[in-house]
Amino acid sequence: MQHTQTTVLLINATHPEPPVIEHAAALLRAGELVIFPTETVYGLGADTLQPHAVQHIFTTKERALSDPLIVHIADEAALEALVTDVPAQARQLTHAFWPGPLTLVLPASSRVPKLVTAGLDTVAIRMPRHPVALALIRAAGVPVAAPSANRFMHVSPTTAQHALADLNGRVPLVLDGGPCAVGVESTVLDLCSETPTILRPGGVSLEALRSVLPNVQFSVREPSHLQEGQKAPGQLLVHYAPKVPAFLFDGPVEAMRKAILAEVEQRQARGEHVGVLIADEDFAAFQGSGACIYRLGSTLEQVASRLFAGLRVLEESGVNIILCRSFEAQGLGLAIRDRLLKASGGNVVSL
Ligand code: TXA
Ligand code: MG
């Protein structure tokens, strides 16, 4: 791939500097790519309406053309041009959750290039709430197509440094607005099926969605049913695979701790270096175990925001294997479980 000089510009996350935004917006209008922060993860953005620019997203990420992109907008008026219909349910949801980490799958209008939707007749749209993302989309004056700014199959980036680790030399500009607050990607909700269905759990919880639309469906993909869903290609089990193998331990907290500790001891006895991804409440049990420990925090919000950083830190730390605990299947926990399941590629120890 051709080498591009990558510039990193620091930007104020709450009050983005207008000249920096204008510079980035001009690049987007010129058909170039820009990496920018959102409240979920960093995005690799291009002008949705320039197929050549969109094509560039796929080659830069080494992403399969069959995996459709999310289109980011900054005001609801932009929705009208991108879809053929805005159902009443969509209005209720955008009213409650936009701007924010909710992506809606709606019937695509003919203005949306086929490359963006991977040939589907639907398009995924979201209005992010990060001030930098909103300012950038507004200044560019176009809808911004953006996947997460990582190489295909790698963990999503929650800092500019993560994005650079994957894509340095492939994009002209990275806007560094610091770490992303939510830390897991948006919830993808399909409004084109008979009942609204979650295709990917994310930053807006199932409970929150049901408080607006009580009939929202989500078939939890638990360790016991690991069939790959075909509807959202991002549901590929290995989509978020870290560079070293990961194992997910799932069960009551005490049982998880005991099983992970036993695995640490066995592997260390064989001379392996083991990394563990745990919660603050587990720390005392692992202190002195010899494992390389990454603490995710004590609330689901903290765990979500540190999860991808934890996977990246451990994979760079020289361990042979990463052992992860799981979390309860409620609130942000559904998204956390989903990402851990994907990171472990189905290597699950059910207790
Ligand atoms: O939080 C996020 O959503 C981040 C930030 C950058 O906005 N973006 C993100 O994009 O995670 P990406 O490309 O990594 O994931 C997009 C997901 C994929 O699982 C894709 O299959 C699904 O959205 N998707 C996109 N268009 C779709 C469509 N028309 N129908 C069903 N799923 C779709
Ligand atoms: Mg992604």
Side-chain angles (χ1 to χ4, degrees):
M1 190 165 174
Q2 208 186 331
H3 187 272
T4 311
Q5 184 69 40
T6 302
T7 302
V8 181
L9 293 178
L10 287 179
I11 189 156
N12 188 304
T14 48
H15 297 91
E17 296 82 351
V20 180
I21 289 290
E22 198 34 64
H23 175 63
L27 281 173
L28 287 177
R29 283 193 301 265
E32 302 276 356
L33 303 186
V34 174
I35 291 177
F36 63 99
T38 80
E39 73 278 20
T40 58
V41 300
Y42 274 72
L44 172 65
D47 176 358
T48 305
L49 305 177
Q50 295 185 48
H52 179 79
V54 174
Q55 171 73 49
H56 211 53
I57 289 179
F58 287 93
T59 45
T60 300
K61 274 197 71 149
E62 298 168 29
R63 178 175 171 124
L65 285 168
S66 57
D67 198 352
L69 305 176
I70 294 174
V71 176
H72 298 71
I73 58 176
D75 53 79
E76 271 202 59
L79 198 54
E80 316 292 338
L82 299 168
V83 303
T84 55
D85 178 38
V86 184
Q89 290 181 327
R91 292 276 180 224
Q92 284 173 273
L93 292 168
T94 60
H95 185 72
F97 301 111
W98 278 9
L102 175 66
T103 295
L104 299 179
V105 174
L106 293 164
S109 81
S110 57
R111 281 194 77 202
V112 183
K114 282 291 173 197
L115 211 47
V116 172
T117 64
L120 299 173
D121 50 15
T122 57
V123 60
I125 302 181
R126 98 169 178 101
M127 189 191 296
R129 71 163 170 251
H130 196 295
V132 171
L134 286 172
L136 177 62
I137 300 162
R138 261 185 214 123
V142 292
V144 175
S148 49
N150 52 287
R151 293 239 189 140
F152 188 53
M153 307 276 274
H154 198 209
V155 181
S156 289
T158 53
T159 65
Q161 290 68 37
H162 296 162
L164 276 170
D166 282 15
L167 301 176
N168 193 14
R170 294 179 174 220
V171 289
L173 181 65
V174 178
L175 295 181
D176 182 353
C180 303
V182 177
V184 289
E185 301 90 338
S186 62
T187 303
V188 179
L189 184 72
D190 185 3
L191 288 181
C192 294
S193 50
E194 209 150 298
T195 42
T197 305
I198 292 180
L199 301 179
R200 177 180 73 181
V204 173
S205 71
L206 174 62
E207 295 89 336
L209 290 173
R210 282 191 177 151
S211 73
V212 176
L213 295 184
N215 65 337
V216 169
Q217 298 298 305
F218 176 54
S219 40
V220 186
R221 199 188 40 223
E222 284 298 320
S224 48
H225 24 99
L226 290 176
Q227 285 301 321
E228 287 179 9
Q230 291 305 305
K231 183 90 192 198
Q235 291 179 342
L236 273 174
L237 255 188
V238 290
H239 197 69
Y240 298 84
K243 292 176 196 158
V244 293
F247 276 80
L248 177 61
F249 289 72
D250 188 28
V253 174
E254 272 304 324
M256 282 192 295
R257 257 181 224 148
K258 270 179 80 174
I260 296 176
L261 268 174
E263 187 75 22
V264 168
E265 274 169 26
Q266 267 184 29
R267 287 182 177 269
Q268 289 186 153
R270 298 203 296 261
E272 288 186 38
H273 296 288
V274 185
V276 293
L277 204 54
I278 55 170
D280 284 359
E281 60 172 3
D282 309 312
F283 184 62
F286 286 86
Q287 234 178 344
S289 67
C292 183
I293 300 173
Y294 192 94
R295 284 168 69 157
L296 291 167
S298 55
T299 63
L300 290 175
E301 284 68 26
Q302 287 169 354
V303 172
S305 72
R306 290 168 60 81
L307 186 61
F308 290 150
L311 286 167
R312 282 182 182 257
V313 166
L314 288 178
E315 73 178 13
E316 297 301 335
S317 71
V319 299
N320 312 100
I321 186 152
I322 301 171
L323 307 179
C324 315
R325 68 159 275 179
S326 69
F327 293 85
E328 62 263 37
Q330 60 175 42
L332 274 178
L334 276 189
I336 294 167
R337 290 173 68 83
D338 174 79
R339 304 312 186 270
L340 284 170
L341 198 57
K342 286 170 177 165
S344 63
N347 296 328
V348 179
V349 180
S350 294
L351 302 160

